[in-house]
Amino acid sequence: MDPRRKARKLDRMLAYMLGRCPSEFGLVPLPDGRVKVRELIKALHEEDGWRHIRTADIEASLRILKTPAVESEAGWIRAVDRTGLAAPIPAIHPPALVYTAIRRRAWPIVRESGLKPGGLPWVVLSSDRDLAVRIGRRSDREPVVLEVATNRARNKGVELLDAGPPLLCTAYVPASCLH
């Protein structure tokens, strides 16, 4: 396939993932729309036909195209047009039970002190258990799947934000709300 054509195809996919429906891929961009390139590639590899993409392919498409739909800098990437992105807003009627998956070696710490964000400003939760497992497998082959009782969490002062169906995010989940 022609390099320009490959670059345009990748560019369209990245624009969709980052500028329109990041939650569909288990991604929650920062308020300015940025996502870690490493996380984007992991999400991209879960999609049929995209497992071959590496950071170098993204960089090459940015060089080849005159007006790429994404921009990248220092390990972060975002869509140029982010008008379709909604910022996380307070969840009005969250599901009673949501899921997250963590690394196995983190479980003893989480069981004691609760769930805190890793390298991002929030913990990502999903009403879809399969998506939570998929996200968890990005950092551990056999993650521990946790259930979060949202009513109990809200009663303890946890603010849940709607990050696009089926994702929610929060700054912290107390250990007593995890199962």
Side-chain angles (χ1 to χ4, degrees), residues 145-164:
V145 179
L146 302 176
E147 295 177 347
V148 178
T150 57
N151 290 334
R152 190 180 313 161
R154 291 175 87 181
N155 289 340
K156 293 199 177 264
V158 173
E159 181 184 22
L160 296 170
L161 300 175
D162 184 348

Side-chain angles (χ1 to χ4, degrees), residues 36-91:
K36 288 183 178 180
V37 172
R38 185 177 63 230
E39 289 302 310
L40 173 73
I41 289 174
K42 288 176 185 178
L44 195 57
H45 286 178
E46 295 167 354
E47 302 301 314
D48 290 334
W50 297 100
R51 294 173 204 255
H52 64 283
I53 299 298
R54 303 287 180 255
T55 304
D57 298 312
I58 294 172
E59 292 169 357
S61 75
L62 292 173
R63 283 191 308 272
I64 290 171
L65 300 173
K66 289 181 181 174
T67 55
V70 296
E71 55 192 13
S72 176
E73 183 182 335
W76 294 86
I77 190 167
R78 67 181 179 180
V80 173
D81 178 11
R82 297 179 297 281
T83 56
L85 275 184
I89 58 171

Side-chain angles (χ1 to χ4, degrees), residues 102-112 114-115 140 144:
I102 61 170
R103 294 180 322 183
R104 282 175 288 165
R105 69 179 186 182
W107 170 236
I109 298 164
V110 170
R111 182 177 48 218
E112 294 297 317
L115 194 54
D140 190 325
V144 174

Side-chain angles (χ1 to χ4, degrees), residues 92-171:
I92 298 170
H93 299 292
L97 199 60
V98 292
Y99 307 91
T100 192
I102 61 170
R103 294 180 322 183
R104 282 175 288 165
R105 69 179 186 182
W107 170 236
I109 298 164
V110 170
R111 182 177 48 218
E112 294 297 317
S113 60
L115 194 54
K116 299 173 187 167
L120 297 174
W122 45 67
V123 173
V124 177
L125 309 168
S126 176
S127 60
D128 179 352
R129 187 179 195 283
D130 292 337
L131 180 59
V133 170
R134 207 170 100 191
I135 294 168
R137 283 190 179 138
R138 294 175 189 168
S139 59
D140 190 325
R141 281 183 174 205
E142 296 178 32
V144 174
V145 179
L146 302 176
E147 295 177 347
V148 178
T150 57
N151 290 334
R152 190 180 313 161
R154 291 175 87 181
N155 289 340
K156 293 199 177 264
V158 173
E159 181 184 22
L160 296 170
L161 300 175
D162 184 348
L167 299 182
L168 297 170
C169 55
T170 186

